[in-house]
Amino acid sequence: MSSSERAETQRSSLLTGKRGRCSMLCLDCELAENGVGCSGGGGGVCGRSPEVAAFQNLLLDFARKLARQMVERSSSSERLDRLIVTALAATAAGTNFDEEELRRLCGEVATACGIPFPQSRFDQLELAERSGIAGGRLRLGNELAARLALLFTGIRGIAVFYSRVLRLGGRDERIFAYLRRALAYSLHPDLKPREMLKLLLDCGSAARSAMDLLGRVQTAEFGDPVPVEVCCSPRKGAAVLVTGHDLGALAGLLDALSGTAINVYTHGELLAAHGYPKLHENPRLAGHLGGAWQDQQRDFQRFPGPVLAAGNCVMPPLPEYAPRFFTCGTAFVSGAPHLKDGDFSALIEAANALPGFPDDVLPRRGLAVGYGRTALERLAGKLAGLIRSGKVRRLFLIGGCDSPLLGEEYSSSLARAVPADCIVLTLGCAKCRLRAKVTGEIEGIPRLLDVGQCTDIIAVLELLETLGVALDLPAELVPFSIFFSWHGPSAVAILLALLSAGFRDIRFGPVLPAFVTPEMREIMERLFNLRLGSVPEEDFAEALQTEPAR
């Protein structure tokens, strides 16, 4: 080691302490330690290191400054707008765990701002430690820092959705403009509650626009989702498991495997991919294996081939499977090969070198998916008749992120508490808690309709509008209630989208975000009657007696 390298190591040790870690305060996800925040030098519950958290905070600050410069100059730039989206997505929980990539992005955004970015890691960390909510509390006070944390969480969710839109060739200048304006305005030193509420509802509107556009570009690329039954048993042969959300990445891999004998299995929210005709018909897409995002480490240890993380909701790999773990798109994990520009050669090589499945496994009962926009529209007339006749008492949306905090007791009770004359629309990983327990049909319509990924909530909103017309009722009077669990930015953005659309009486949880202060909670309860889910039987009984959700 050279003398300059030794000096740099010593300086970093002085900054980061005996454990080699800088301090952190992270409130970004539901797993925030003790419901307060992951803090100190030991890293986050999610596996995020303090250094990664610090550089993500710094990257967000640089993105805010770049946006403010663009707003003040009344300028727009496709390159800079895309850079802001990339930076925001990289700061979302469960997406980027790679310090080197974050430092590279910090340098790129700083350069775009004309801000000098230090060369040494020590100086970069020193700068980064002044960012984030801990620094915000010192500068702004706890209440304003918490309001901004809620806004930034929603904005990150929009960036996660919109990055997938951009990958598939879609774009909407209005979403770029919203991100610029919101980030620039967040630097205002004295946001009042009324101004903050408007920013949050605007965030919800932008999130709805981003999700709507994502659904449309995915449909244009892969066809309208249709109900299908997905095989959940493996086939003999080499195999790749793909987790995350990115349908574009999955499609690219399937194309790269054309002419091979390698089978591809989906995991987590990519179950929804099977409903898209262009993907479902690909002979290399063999089925779906495993559970929700939180089951990754268990499921990936068992899988006899390489694993590809495509998008958000990623967990750092365990040593047992880290050598066969790859990332692409917005997902980055330190030490894991990141596949760029559609080059899957390293992944294919790994699949051919690993054992794969030795035999076919007799198919189990498949999972029914594909009840997207078009499928729900086709069911709307029959649903309206069943509601009018009293055969269907109410529709429930039970969706969002599958939460380890829910626990089996709560989830089992939730599933058992669904009345037999009610239909459940589900989306996101929350479906994993319901699909074995909410069974049967009402006049040929399954009692559990899997709408797709979290962003497919747009299909549910359109169904309510269609039902309102069919029932000759305003959409807000259609009998409908929402139970929505959250884990990170995507779910918070969706919650804000629902609030901006006028929905009330949403049961959200199982815990509130750590950045929601008592004052913020009081405002949300007063204006939107937002409440935490508690006892499933009581929650359902109350929902059945209340007015519709908006």
Side-chain angles (χ1 to χ4, degrees), residues 144 147 185 188-198:
L144 181 52
R147 292 175 198 162
Y185 197 62
H188 192 284
D190 187 25
L191 282 172
K192 300 295 189 294
R194 185 181 297 274
E195 295 170 320
M196 193 69 226
L197 180 61
K198 183 178 186 308

Side-chain angles (χ1 to χ4, degrees), residues 44-86:
V45 174
C46 68
R48 186 187 310 192
S49 73
E51 293 81 11
V52 162
F55 283 117
Q56 287 177 320
N57 291 334
L58 182 60
L59 183 56
L60 175 60
D61 276 3
F62 284 157
R64 294 166 69 192
K65 291 171 182 174
L66 177 57
R68 183 166 187 170
Q69 289 179 5
M70 295 174 72
V71 169
E72 288 175 345
R73 297 169 184 166
S74 298
S75 66
S76 62
S77 160
E78 181 84 9
R79 182 183 69 83
L80 295 182
D81 279 330
R82 286 175 178 266
L83 179 59
I84 287 173
V85 172
T86 299

Side-chain angles (χ1 to χ4, degrees), residues 339-364:
L339 309 181
K340 298 180 180 179
D341 303 322
D343 182 2
F344 297 99
S345 55
L347 183 73
I348 294 170
E349 182 180 349
N352 286 321
L354 289 163
F357 289 101
D359 298 293
D360 290 339
V361 176
L362 290 176
R364 295 175 292 171

Side-chain angles (χ1 to χ4, degrees), residues 394 476-477 480-481 505 543 545-550:
R394 200 172 191 86
E476 59 268 22
L477 294 183
F480 176 72
S481 296
D505 301 306
Q545 296 173 18
T546 60
E547 294 298 318
R550 62 170 176 167

